[in-house]
Amino acid sequence: MAELEYAYGSEPYAVRLVGSSPTVRTMKKQPNLRIILLGGLGEVGRNMMLLEWQGKILICDMGFRMPEEDMPGIDYIVPNISYLKDKKKNILGVVFTHGHYDHIGAVPYLMEKIWHPGLEIYASPLTRGIILKRQGDFPNQPKLDIAEVRDGSKVKLGPFRVEFFRQNHNIPDNLGLFIETPIGNILHTSDFKFDPAPVNDLPTNFQKLKSFGRRKILLLMSDSTGAEENNHSLSEKTIEKNLEEIFKYSSGRIIAATFASLINRIQQIITLSEKYGRKVCVEGYSMKTNVEISKILGYLKIKKGTLVKAKELANYPDGKVTVLCTGAQGEGSAILMKIASREHPFIRLRKGDSVILSSSVIPGNERTVQMLKDDILRHGVKVFHYKMMDIHAGGHAQQDELREMIKIMRPKFFLPIHGQYSMLAAHTELAREMGLSERNALIAENGQIINLNPKKISIEKQKVPSNYVMVDGLGIGDVGDVVLRDRQMLAKDGMFVIVTVIDKTTGKVKGSPDIISRGFVYLRESKELLRETRKKVIEIVNRTTGSGGAVNWSYVKDEIRNKIGQFFYTKTQRRPMILPVVIEV
């Protein structure tokens, strides 16, 4: 007896040969789990993932990313969640892996759009504390009921069963996700690294990881941020040893800048300060907030009397002071930039100080960080950064660790997550080296819909919106591509305003047009250009208005904008934003 499979239209069917009379029966179509990445692929940050089974949706993380250098005025970039607009009641819950802002930073901007009374939210204690404190800083936010989960916690959300497990990173309470679904088991690594001697944390539990590997992993989704780096990531113990060398030989103040959420590094610097008899001043709103939360929850150990306020620093010798602050990425509003530019009310850089930049440079921030280092060095101080010595370890696995994770999990399918496209590609190549076939190890991009079943992983042709949603102050998404282009034009070539008064009876220009220039030319030194501009504006208006009567003023303004724009380009090779103002009197 034989069975032959055919496809007719979109419905497969089978012909079963029984004797000489074939019978036809319809084969059941294999249902798919849909995985939709709204951010985090082809970029560092903005991590947000949807798992969807028969309309029921589980969300993993809700992060933001920092703006690029050509995005003037933009504070953050968050995921586009328009796909969820009419699906609010289908969202079962949100699970968070850890407390870094690239995984939780978009909560105040997006949660109110998806929140409903039945929404279940899960996070580790530290992650929960940071989210709730930040929610309180924003107006009109829904009160979130976040349930605490820890290593080994298990929750059921509709068709999904999630088991949380501890992973080393550079913030405590980082959790990976083992997700049981109707089609098989998925393992989401979270950001991770294998650290044999972590600070403020326990080493990786390899026995736990191996137990997951024995449960048949259908799909491994693994952190790719370190996939282009050879060998093994640095241990936090190595970082602590090198930081101690700076503390041992520095006779002046130490000003250490790092990420506000890098709790492990904050603990190291506080511990070393206490060892060498230094008082610690914590500066920066987000840094102070995270230190306070971490103290309350027991994640930071600080002796009584160690912390002092900035205005009290003058009471102590330079060799007995550490300033712990934000700003290692050169952010204009961060404390280190204020110190470097002499804008801080109590702290001024002076010869003998040592500045520690304990963070790697986020892609895109290279120029900003270089300018910050130059400004600091002009004060005659020493600068220590990760390219000089190992004083920063990323929280991300490098190639040796990524191979080990794949070896432990032995997944049928593989999907790299978290990182620039080159990082995803490098990670996929590692997976193929480890034995996964090309069709079983995919590279996806934001907005693509991944279909997964026990036999196949594929990408749909259809995509969901995943473009940047930009945050400017309290505005979310009101600055789009058009507004951003205007800002870029203003930043590049400036603005030129032409105010023309028209006689409504004759349709002719009265007097001489007024001109306002900002960022284009200095008016006092460009009198000839302005004279020619006024002459051309009068010619354009008088020509287009004709002999009076009804006038299409939109057309007149467009003519001024286009003709004067061409004129400026021929004269200056610059094209400012031209704003014609026409007034009838």
Side-chain angles (χ1 to χ4, degrees), residues 168-216:
N168 286 145
H169 189 31
N170 48 20
I171 185 173
D173 268 3
N174 176 48
L175 300 172
L177 310 172
F178 179 82
I179 307 170
E180 296 178 62
T181 79
I183 59 157
N185 297 325
I186 296 174
L187 191 128
H188 181 309
T189 66
S190 178
D191 288 352
F192 83 99
K193 66 177 182 178
F194 294 152
D195 192 341
V199 171
N200 214 24
D201 203 356
L202 297 171
T204 299
N205 186 342
F206 284 102
Q207 292 307 313
K208 182 88 166 186
L209 293 179
K210 289 175 182 178
S211 73
F212 289 137
R214 290 192 289 269
R215 291 165 68 180
K216 293 186 178 179

Short mmCIF file of all heavy atoms in Angstrom, two decimals, residues 168-216:
data_model
loop_
_atom_site.label_atom_id
_atom_site.label_comp_id
_atom_site.label_asym_id
_atom_site.label_seq_id
_atom_site.Cartn_x
_atom_site.Cartn_y
_atom_site.Cartn_z
N ASN A 168 24.41 34.90 33.13
CA ASN A 168 25.37 35.98 33.40
C ASN A 168 25.27 37.06 32.35
O ASN A 168 25.15 36.79 31.15
CB ASN A 168 26.80 35.44 33.40
CG ASN A 168 27.13 34.62 34.63
OD1 ASN A 168 27.86 33.65 34.57
ND2 ASN A 168 26.58 35.01 35.78
N HIS A 169 25.29 38.30 32.80
CA HIS A 169 25.35 39.47 31.91
C HIS A 169 26.15 40.50 32.70
O HIS A 169 27.02 40.11 33.48
CB HIS A 169 23.92 39.92 31.58
CG HIS A 169 23.82 40.97 30.50
ND1 HIS A 169 24.71 41.07 29.47
CD2 HIS A 169 22.92 41.98 30.31
CE1 HIS A 169 24.37 42.08 28.68
NE2 HIS A 169 23.29 42.65 29.19
N ASN A 170 25.91 41.79 32.53
CA ASN A 170 26.58 42.76 33.39
C ASN A 170 25.59 43.56 34.21
O ASN A 170 25.85 44.69 34.59
CB ASN A 170 27.51 43.68 32.58
CG ASN A 170 26.84 44.25 31.36
OD1 ASN A 170 25.60 44.29 31.27
ND2 ASN A 170 27.62 44.69 30.40
N ILE A 171 24.45 42.94 34.45
CA ILE A 171 23.46 43.47 35.38
C ILE A 171 22.87 42.27 36.11
O ILE A 171 22.66 41.22 35.49
CB ILE A 171 22.37 44.28 34.64
CG1 ILE A 171 21.39 44.93 35.62
CG2 ILE A 171 21.61 43.42 33.64
CD1 ILE A 171 20.39 45.88 34.97
N PRO A 172 22.62 42.35 37.41
CA PRO A 172 22.02 41.21 38.11
C PRO A 172 20.60 40.94 37.62
O PRO A 172 19.97 41.76 36.95
CB PRO A 172 21.99 41.68 39.58
CG PRO A 172 22.97 42.79 39.67
CD PRO A 172 22.96 43.45 38.33
N ASP A 173 20.10 39.78 37.99
CA ASP A 173 18.71 39.40 37.69
C ASP A 173 18.43 39.29 36.20
O ASP A 173 17.33 39.61 35.74
CB ASP A 173 17.73 40.40 38.32
CG ASP A 173 17.28 39.96 39.71
OD1 ASP A 173 17.77 38.93 40.18
OD2 ASP A 173 16.44 40.65 40.31
N ASN A 174 19.40 38.86 35.43
CA ASN A 174 19.19 38.65 33.99
C ASN A 174 18.68 37.23 33.79
O ASN A 174 19.26 36.27 34.28
CB ASN A 174 20.51 38.86 33.24
CG ASN A 174 20.38 38.55 31.76
OD1 ASN A 174 19.45 39.00 31.10
ND2 ASN A 174 21.31 37.77 31.23
N LEU A 175 17.57 37.08 33.04
CA LEU A 175 16.92 35.78 32.89
C LEU A 175 16.76 35.40 31.43
O LEU A 175 16.27 36.21 30.62
CB LEU A 175 15.54 35.81 33.56
CG LEU A 175 15.51 36.09 35.06
CD1 LEU A 175 14.08 36.28 35.54
CD2 LEU A 175 16.20 34.96 35.84
N GLY A 176 17.18 34.18 31.10
CA GLY A 176 16.85 33.59 29.81
C GLY A 176 15.46 32.97 29.88
O GLY A 176 14.88 32.82 30.96
N LEU A 177 14.93 32.57 28.72
CA LEU A 177 13.56 32.05 28.65
C LEU A 177 13.54 30.69 27.95
O LEU A 177 14.03 30.56 26.82
CB LEU A 177 12.66 33.02 27.87
CG LEU A 177 12.70 34.50 28.26
CD1 LEU A 177 11.91 35.33 27.26
CD2 LEU A 177 12.16 34.69 29.67
N PHE A 178 13.01 29.68 28.64
CA PHE A 178 12.71 28.39 28.01
C PHE A 178 11.20 28.38 27.79
O PHE A 178 10.42 28.40 28.76
CB PHE A 178 13.15 27.24 28.91
CG PHE A 178 12.84 25.88 28.34
CD1 PHE A 178 13.68 25.29 27.41
CD2 PHE A 178 11.70 25.18 28.73
CE1 PHE A 178 13.40 24.05 26.88
CE2 PHE A 178 11.42 23.93 28.22
CZ PHE A 178 12.27 23.36 27.28
N ILE A 179 10.77 28.39 26.54
CA ILE A 179 9.35 28.57 26.21
C ILE A 179 8.81 27.30 25.56
O ILE A 179 9.25 26.91 24.47
CB ILE A 179 9.16 29.77 25.27
CG1 ILE A 179 9.82 31.03 25.85
CG2 ILE A 179 7.67 30.02 25.02
CD1 ILE A 179 9.89 32.20 24.89
N GLU A 180 7.86 26.68 26.24
CA GLU A 180 7.16 25.54 25.65
C GLU A 180 5.98 26.06 24.83
O GLU A 180 5.16 26.83 25.34
CB GLU A 180 6.66 24.60 26.74
CG GLU A 180 7.76 23.95 27.57
CD GLU A 180 7.20 23.07 28.67
OE1 GLU A 180 6.51 22.09 28.33
OE2 GLU A 180 7.43 23.38 29.85
N THR A 181 5.90 25.64 23.59
CA THR A 181 4.81 26.06 22.70
C THR A 181 4.14 24.81 22.14
O THR A 181 4.68 23.69 22.25
CB THR A 181 5.33 26.92 21.53
OG1 THR A 181 5.92 26.06 20.53
CG2 THR A 181 6.38 27.92 22.00
N PRO A 182 2.96 24.94 21.52
CA PRO A 182 2.28 23.77 20.95
C PRO A 182 3.06 23.03 19.87
O PRO A 182 2.76 21.88 19.58
CB PRO A 182 0.98 24.37 20.38
CG PRO A 182 0.75 25.61 21.20
CD PRO A 182 2.11 26.15 21.48
N ILE A 183 4.07 23.68 19.29
CA ILE A 183 4.82 23.01 18.22
C ILE A 183 6.20 22.55 18.66
O ILE A 183 6.91 21.88 17.90
CB ILE A 183 4.97 23.93 16.98
CG1 ILE A 183 5.69 25.22 17.38
CG2 ILE A 183 3.63 24.22 16.35
CD1 ILE A 183 6.35 25.91 16.24
N GLY A 184 6.63 22.93 19.87
CA GLY A 184 7.95 22.53 20.33
C GLY A 184 8.55 23.57 21.25
O GLY A 184 7.94 24.61 21.55
N ASN A 185 9.77 23.31 21.72
CA ASN A 185 10.43 24.16 22.71
C ASN A 185 11.34 25.20 22.06
O ASN A 185 12.11 24.89 21.14
CB ASN A 185 11.25 23.30 23.67
CG ASN A 185 10.39 22.34 24.46
OD1 ASN A 185 9.25 22.67 24.81
ND2 ASN A 185 10.90 21.15 24.73
N ILE A 186 11.24 26.42 22.57
CA ILE A 186 12.08 27.53 22.10
C ILE A 186 12.95 28.00 23.27
O ILE A 186 12.45 28.14 24.39
CB ILE A 186 11.22 28.70 21.59
CG1 ILE A 186 10.42 28.27 20.35
CG2 ILE A 186 12.07 29.92 21.27
CD1 ILE A 186 9.43 29.32 19.86
N LEU A 187 14.21 28.25 23.01
CA LEU A 187 15.08 28.81 24.04
C LEU A 187 15.58 30.18 23.59
O LEU A 187 16.17 30.32 22.52
CB LEU A 187 16.26 27.91 24.36
CG LEU A 187 16.99 28.38 25.63
CD1 LEU A 187 17.17 27.24 26.63
CD2 LEU A 187 18.35 29.00 25.30
N HIS A 188 15.30 31.19 24.41
CA HIS A 188 15.72 32.57 24.19
C HIS A 188 16.82 32.84 25.21
O HIS A 188 16.58 32.85 26.42
CB HIS A 188 14.52 33.49 24.41
CG HIS A 188 14.78 34.95 24.19
ND1 HIS A 188 15.81 35.65 24.77
CD2 HIS A 188 14.10 35.87 23.46
CE1 HIS A 188 15.77 36.91 24.40
NE2 HIS A 188 14.73 37.07 23.61
N THR A 189 18.04 33.10 24.75
CA THR A 189 19.19 33.19 25.67
C THR A 189 19.19 34.45 26.51
O THR A 189 19.87 34.50 27.53
CB THR A 189 20.51 33.15 24.89
OG1 THR A 189 20.62 34.32 24.08
CG2 THR A 189 20.63 31.89 24.05
N SER A 190 18.45 35.49 26.10
CA SER A 190 18.62 36.83 26.63
C SER A 190 20.05 37.29 26.27
O SER A 190 20.81 36.56 25.62
CB SER A 190 18.40 36.90 28.14
OG SER A 190 18.61 38.21 28.64
N ASP A 191 20.44 38.50 26.65
CA ASP A 191 21.85 38.88 26.57
C ASP A 191 22.60 37.99 27.56
O ASP A 191 22.14 37.80 28.69
CB ASP A 191 22.03 40.34 26.97
CG ASP A 191 21.51 41.31 25.92
OD1 ASP A 191 21.15 40.86 24.83
OD2 ASP A 191 21.46 42.52 26.22
N PHE A 192 23.73 37.45 27.15
CA PHE A 192 24.42 36.54 28.08
C PHE A 192 25.90 36.46 27.76
O PHE A 192 26.37 36.84 26.69
CB PHE A 192 23.80 35.14 28.00
CG PHE A 192 24.34 34.30 26.84
CD1 PHE A 192 25.33 33.35 27.04
CD2 PHE A 192 23.86 34.49 25.55
CE1 PHE A 192 25.83 32.59 25.98
CE2 PHE A 192 24.35 33.73 24.48
CZ PHE A 192 25.33 32.77 24.70
N LYS A 193 26.63 35.94 28.75
CA LYS A 193 28.01 35.49 28.54
C LYS A 193 28.28 34.41 29.57
O LYS A 193 27.54 34.26 30.56
CB LYS A 193 29.00 36.64 28.67
CG LYS A 193 29.11 37.25 30.07
CD LYS A 193 30.19 38.32 30.08
CE LYS A 193 30.38 38.93 31.46
NZ LYS A 193 31.46 39.93 31.48
N PHE A 194 29.29 33.61 29.35
CA PHE A 194 29.69 32.58 30.31
C PHE A 194 30.87 33.13 31.12
O PHE A 194 31.96 33.28 30.60
CB PHE A 194 30.11 31.29 29.59
CG PHE A 194 28.98 30.61 28.85
CD1 PHE A 194 29.24 29.83 27.74
CD2 PHE A 194 27.67 30.73 29.28
CE1 PHE A 194 28.22 29.19 27.06
CE2 PHE A 194 26.64 30.09 28.60
CZ PHE A 194 26.91 29.32 27.49
N ASP A 195 30.61 33.47 32.37
CA ASP A 195 31.64 34.09 33.22
C ASP A 195 31.96 33.14 34.37
O ASP A 195 31.13 32.89 35.23
CB ASP A 195 31.13 35.43 33.76
CG ASP A 195 32.24 36.26 34.40
OD1 ASP A 195 33.29 35.68 34.74
OD2 ASP A 195 32.06 37.48 34.54
N PRO A 196 33.19 32.62 34.41
CA PRO A 196 33.55 31.70 35.50
C PRO A 196 33.72 32.41 36.84
O PRO A 196 33.68 31.75 37.89
CB PRO A 196 34.88 31.11 35.02
CG PRO A 196 35.46 32.15 34.11
CD PRO A 196 34.29 32.80 33.43
N ALA A 197 33.94 33.73 36.83
CA ALA A 197 34.16 34.45 38.09
C ALA A 197 33.45 35.80 38.04
O ALA A 197 34.09 36.86 38.02
CB ALA A 197 35.66 34.64 38.33
N PRO A 198 32.14 35.80 38.00
CA PRO A 198 31.41 37.07 37.92
C PRO A 198 31.47 37.83 39.23
O PRO A 198 31.76 37.27 40.29
CB PRO A 198 29.98 36.63 37.60
CG PRO A 198 29.87 35.27 38.20
CD PRO A 198 31.23 34.64 38.05
N VAL A 199 31.19 39.12 39.15
CA VAL A 199 31.09 39.96 40.34
C VAL A 199 29.61 40.18 40.63
O VAL A 199 28.82 40.42 39.73
CB VAL A 199 31.80 41.31 40.10
CG1 VAL A 199 31.54 42.28 41.24
CG2 VAL A 199 33.30 41.08 39.93
N ASN A 200 29.24 40.04 41.90
CA ASN A 200 27.86 40.31 42.27
C ASN A 200 26.87 39.32 41.66
O ASN A 200 25.71 39.63 41.46
CB ASN A 200 27.48 41.74 41.83
CG ASN A 200 26.51 42.40 42.78
OD1 ASN A 200 26.43 42.04 43.95
ND2 ASN A 200 25.77 43.37 42.29
N ASP A 201 27.34 38.13 41.33
CA ASP A 201 26.48 37.13 40.68
C ASP A 201 27.11 35.76 40.85
O ASP A 201 28.26 35.63 41.29
CB ASP A 201 26.34 37.46 39.19
CG ASP A 201 25.07 36.86 38.58
OD1 ASP A 201 24.36 36.13 39.30
OD2 ASP A 201 24.80 37.13 37.40
N LEU A 202 26.35 34.73 40.50
CA LEU A 202 26.85 33.35 40.52
C LEU A 202 27.34 32.97 39.13
O LEU A 202 26.86 33.52 38.13
CB LEU A 202 25.74 32.39 40.95
CG LEU A 202 25.19 32.58 42.37
CD1 LEU A 202 23.95 31.71 42.57
CD2 LEU A 202 26.26 32.22 43.40
N PRO A 203 28.27 32.02 39.01
CA PRO A 203 28.72 31.57 37.68
C PRO A 203 27.57 30.92 36.91
O PRO A 203 26.54 30.55 37.47
CB PRO A 203 29.82 30.54 37.99
CG PRO A 203 30.20 30.80 39.41
CD PRO A 203 28.99 31.33 40.09
N THR A 204 27.77 30.78 35.61
CA THR A 204 26.78 30.13 34.75
C THR A 204 26.45 28.73 35.26
O THR A 204 27.35 27.96 35.62
CB THR A 204 27.31 30.04 33.31
OG1 THR A 204 27.56 31.36 32.82
CG2 THR A 204 26.32 29.35 32.39
N ASN A 205 25.18 28.40 35.28
CA ASN A 205 24.73 27.06 35.69
C ASN A 205 24.66 26.18 34.44
O ASN A 205 23.63 26.07 33.77
CB ASN A 205 23.36 27.15 36.37
CG ASN A 205 22.91 25.82 36.95
OD1 ASN A 205 23.43 24.76 36.59
ND2 ASN A 205 21.95 25.86 37.85
N PHE A 206 25.79 25.54 34.12
CA PHE A 206 25.83 24.72 32.91
C PHE A 206 24.95 23.48 33.01
O PHE A 206 24.44 23.00 32.00
CB PHE A 206 27.29 24.33 32.60
CG PHE A 206 28.09 25.46 32.01
CD1 PHE A 206 28.99 26.17 32.79
CD2 PHE A 206 27.95 25.81 30.68
CE1 PHE A 206 29.73 27.22 32.25
CE2 PHE A 206 28.68 26.85 30.13
CZ PHE A 206 29.57 27.55 30.92
N GLN A 207 24.78 22.95 34.21
CA GLN A 207 23.91 21.78 34.37
C GLN A 207 22.48 22.11 33.98
O GLN A 207 21.78 21.31 33.35
CB GLN A 207 23.97 21.26 35.81
CG GLN A 207 25.31 20.66 36.19
CD GLN A 207 25.77 19.58 35.22
OE1 GLN A 207 24.99 18.68 34.86
NE2 GLN A 207 27.02 19.67 34.78
N LYS A 208 22.05 23.31 34.34
CA LYS A 208 20.70 23.75 33.98
C LYS A 208 20.57 23.88 32.47
O LYS A 208 19.59 23.44 31.86
CB LYS A 208 20.42 25.11 34.64
CG LYS A 208 19.04 25.66 34.39
CD LYS A 208 18.07 25.16 35.43
CE LYS A 208 16.79 25.95 35.42
NZ LYS A 208 15.89 25.57 36.51
N LEU A 209 21.58 24.50 31.84
CA LEU A 209 21.54 24.66 30.39
C LEU A 209 21.50 23.30 29.70
O LEU A 209 20.75 23.10 28.73
CB LEU A 209 22.76 25.47 29.91
CG LEU A 209 22.83 26.94 30.33
CD1 LEU A 209 24.10 27.58 29.79
CD2 LEU A 209 21.60 27.71 29.86
N LYS A 210 22.29 22.36 30.20
CA LYS A 210 22.32 21.03 29.58
C LYS A 210 20.99 20.30 29.75
O LYS A 210 20.57 19.53 28.88
CB LYS A 210 23.46 20.21 30.17
CG LYS A 210 24.84 20.68 29.72
CD LYS A 210 25.97 19.93 30.41
CE LYS A 210 27.32 20.47 29.98
NZ LYS A 210 28.45 19.80 30.68
N SER A 211 20.31 20.58 30.86
CA SER A 211 18.99 19.95 31.06
C SER A 211 17.98 20.46 30.04
O SER A 211 17.13 19.71 29.57
CB SER A 211 18.48 20.22 32.49
OG SER A 211 18.07 21.56 32.65
N PHE A 212 18.10 21.74 29.66
CA PHE A 212 17.24 22.27 28.61
C PHE A 212 17.58 21.61 27.27
O PHE A 212 16.70 21.26 26.48
CB PHE A 212 17.39 23.78 28.49
CG PHE A 212 16.80 24.56 29.62
CD1 PHE A 212 17.48 25.62 30.18
CD2 PHE A 212 15.55 24.23 30.14
CE1 PHE A 212 16.94 26.35 31.24
CE2 PHE A 212 14.99 24.95 31.19
CZ PHE A 212 15.68 26.01 31.74
N GLY A 213 18.88 21.46 27.01
CA GLY A 213 19.30 20.83 25.76
C GLY A 213 18.77 19.43 25.59
O GLY A 213 18.51 18.98 24.47
N ARG A 214 18.60 18.72 26.71
CA ARG A 214 18.08 17.34 26.64
C ARG A 214 16.57 17.31 26.38
O ARG A 214 16.02 16.24 26.12
CB ARG A 214 18.41 16.59 27.93
CG ARG A 214 19.90 16.28 28.09
CD ARG A 214 20.14 15.29 29.23
NE ARG A 214 19.89 15.90 30.53
CZ ARG A 214 20.82 16.52 31.27
NH1 ARG A 214 22.06 16.62 30.81
NH2 ARG A 214 20.52 17.04 32.45
N ARG A 215 15.92 18.45 26.45
CA ARG A 215 14.46 18.50 26.27
C ARG A 215 14.08 18.85 24.83
O ARG A 215 12.97 19.26 24.55
CB ARG A 215 13.85 19.50 27.26
CG ARG A 215 13.94 19.00 28.70
CD ARG A 215 13.67 20.09 29.71
NE ARG A 215 12.29 20.56 29.71
CZ ARG A 215 11.84 21.52 30.53
NH1 ARG A 215 12.66 22.08 31.41
NH2 ARG A 215 10.58 21.90 30.48
N LYS A 216 14.99 18.69 23.92
CA LYS A 216 14.76 18.89 22.49
C LYS A 216 14.36 20.34 22.19
O LYS A 216 13.19 20.72 22.27
CB LYS A 216 13.70 17.93 21.94
CG LYS A 216 14.15 16.48 21.96
CD LYS A 216 13.13 15.60 21.27
CE LYS A 216 13.62 14.14 21.25
NZ LYS A 216 12.64 13.25 20.60
#
